[in-house]
Amino acid sequence: GWMEAESTSACSRWIAILIMVGLVIGGAVVFVVLIYWGGEAFQHNWKSYEKGVENFAKWVSQAATLLPQDLRDWIGQKLPEYASEFLSAYAAAIPGFLSSIAVQLVFFLIYLGFWLCDPLPVSTEVSQLFKSYLFLKSVVSLLYATLMASLLWMLGCKLWVLFWVLTFVLNYIPEIGPILAGVLSLPAVLFDSSIPDPGAKTVTLFVLGMLFKFVTGNIVEVHMYTSRGGEWMRMHPVIMLFLVMVFGMVWGPSGMLLSVPIIAVAKCCLVTADVPHVLLDPLLVLIEGDSKGPHKIFVDR
């Protein structure tokens, strides 16, 4: 925050800035390398996925006896063709995707440089709220991504490195991100012809993935928030999803990431600004989805 920057010497502040920039650049390099490894693994194994789609289409055409014969024949013939075209296009698009990531990292570093050199004059409580949220979310994202990537590796999926990065990034999007990452990982096992019995392992991935999501998102993350600024981050899931959608439409992925801390800061400002209870209490009830929300805030403070 602004007060911390003023209370330290210029030398120590610039040392902290250089350390922070070094950590960010190092993390960016690691992410790019992991994405590159994942893309290389996909390009080397996309034939296995093409064959896996063919096997899946044959299985559907033979097992789905309730479907009309024409539809089963169409699935057996057309689905492998569409899958082959999709996989080829996806493999060819990986270099462009890596270039896009590199450009975004450059803009992020420029933004970070302006932020560190001229920080906004925000209060210590607001600054600490953002720091706590980003730190806790990073820890939970790292835990969830590591669990999912380890599971994919044990199931024999060769794209586990790519899905580690994907899961880590998507988990920053509340509620929607981890579910999307889990759904995207299912075809990586189901359509891999090099994996023995991919159907059973896909079911295993689904069940254990849901368990990991419940434990990390509903137990570990909630407990961590409760111990550090939980009264501000307490929101009803429906309200949270609505805010994620709205902020995502306005600011894209960055807005989806910052939707929770922004509303938490708004709650903090409303409560600390001595807003009349006739206006404050309905807002707290709406945000938290609990008629006892105002009383919980009073007790927590």
Side-chain angles (χ1 to χ4, degrees):
W2 181 76
M3 293 301 295
E4 287 87 343
E6 288 295 319
S7 62
T8 57
S9 65
C11 180
S12 61
R13 179 170 179 268
W14 279 106
I15 292 175
I17 290 175
L18 292 176
I19 293 174
M20 188 64 183
V21 171
L23 290 175
V24 171
I25 294 177
V29 171
V30 171
F31 267 76
V32 171
V33 171
L34 291 177
I35 292 174
Y36 176 78
W37 284 351
E40 286 288 312
F42 180 81
Q43 289 181 325
H44 291 157
N45 295 278
W46 74 278
K47 287 291 184 181
S48 298
Y49 286 99
E50 188 177 39
K51 184 178 179 181
V53 172
E54 293 178 0
N55 296 337
F56 180 76
K58 292 178 181 177
W59 178 83
V60 171
S61 62
Q62 295 173 359
T65 56
L66 298 178
L67 296 177
Q69 184 63 39
D70 294 340
L71 180 57
R72 284 187 288 168
D73 293 340
W74 183 88
I75 292 175
Q77 296 174 3
K78 295 297 182 181
L79 183 59
E81 296 179 6
Y82 293 150
S84 178
E85 295 176 0
F86 171 77
L87 291 174
S88 300
Y90 189 81
I94 288 178
F97 175 74
L98 293 176
S99 301
S100 176
I101 292 292
V103 171
Q104 293 181 26
L105 287 175
V106 170
F107 278 105
F108 176 77
L109 291 175
I110 294 174
Y111 165 78
L112 180 65
F114 279 109
W115 178 273
L116 292 175
C117 294
D118 190 16
L120 294 174
V122 296
S123 66
T124 303
E125 189 170 11
V126 171
S127 175
Q128 187 61 39
L129 185 59
F130 270 92
K131 292 177 182 177
S132 297
Y133 175 79
L134 293 177
F135 173 75
L136 297 178
K137 197 66 177 178
S138 298
V139 172
V140 174
S141 298
L142 180 62
L143 175 62
Y144 181 59
T146 302
L147 290 173
M148 291 297 293
S150 300
L151 177 59
L152 289 170
W153 175 75
M154 288 187 292
L155 293 176
C157 179
K158 300 177 182 62
L159 305 182
W160 65 271
V161 174
L162 184 62
F163 278 102
W164 185 91
V165 177
L166 183 66
T167 304
F168 179 82
V169 173
L170 288 178
N171 197 68
Y172 279 95
I173 302 175
E175 301 298 331
I176 300 175
I179 296 176
L180 180 59
V183 170
L184 291 175
S185 66
L186 294 177
V189 175
L190 180 61
F191 296 141
D192 191 347
S193 60
S194 64
I195 297 178
D197 197 6
K201 292 188 176 180
T202 301
V203 175
T204 302
L205 175 62
F206 176 79
V207 174
L208 293 181
M210 293 294 292
L211 178 62
F212 293 158
K213 165 63 177 70
F214 176 79
V215 172
T216 58
N218 297 76
I219 297 179
V220 177
E221 189 170 0
V222 171
H223 176 72
M224 294 175 70
Y225 286 163
T226 302
S227 61
R228 300 184 63 176
E231 69 272 16
W232 308 126
M233 300 179 191
R234 192 167 52 228
M235 302 177 198
H236 193 275
V238 175
I239 298 298
M240 184 179 296
L241 290 176
F242 173 76
L243 294 173
V244 168
M245 294 173 60
V246 171
F247 280 84
M249 289 187 293
V250 176
W251 289 324
S254 300
M256 301 175 78
L257 166 64
L258 297 176
S259 58
V260 173
I262 288 176
I263 299 303
V265 168
K267 285 178 62 179
C268 176
C269 294
L270 288 172
V271 173
T272 56
D274 294 329
V275 176
H277 288 283
V278 67
L279 300 176
L280 177 62
D281 291 353
L283 290 175
L284 295 177
V285 171
L286 176 64
I287 294 174
E288 298 191 13
D290 186 359
S291 59
K292 298 180 180 179
H295 179 69
K296 291 180 179 179
I297 291 289
F298 175 77
V299 172
D300 290 335
R301 292 185 59 81

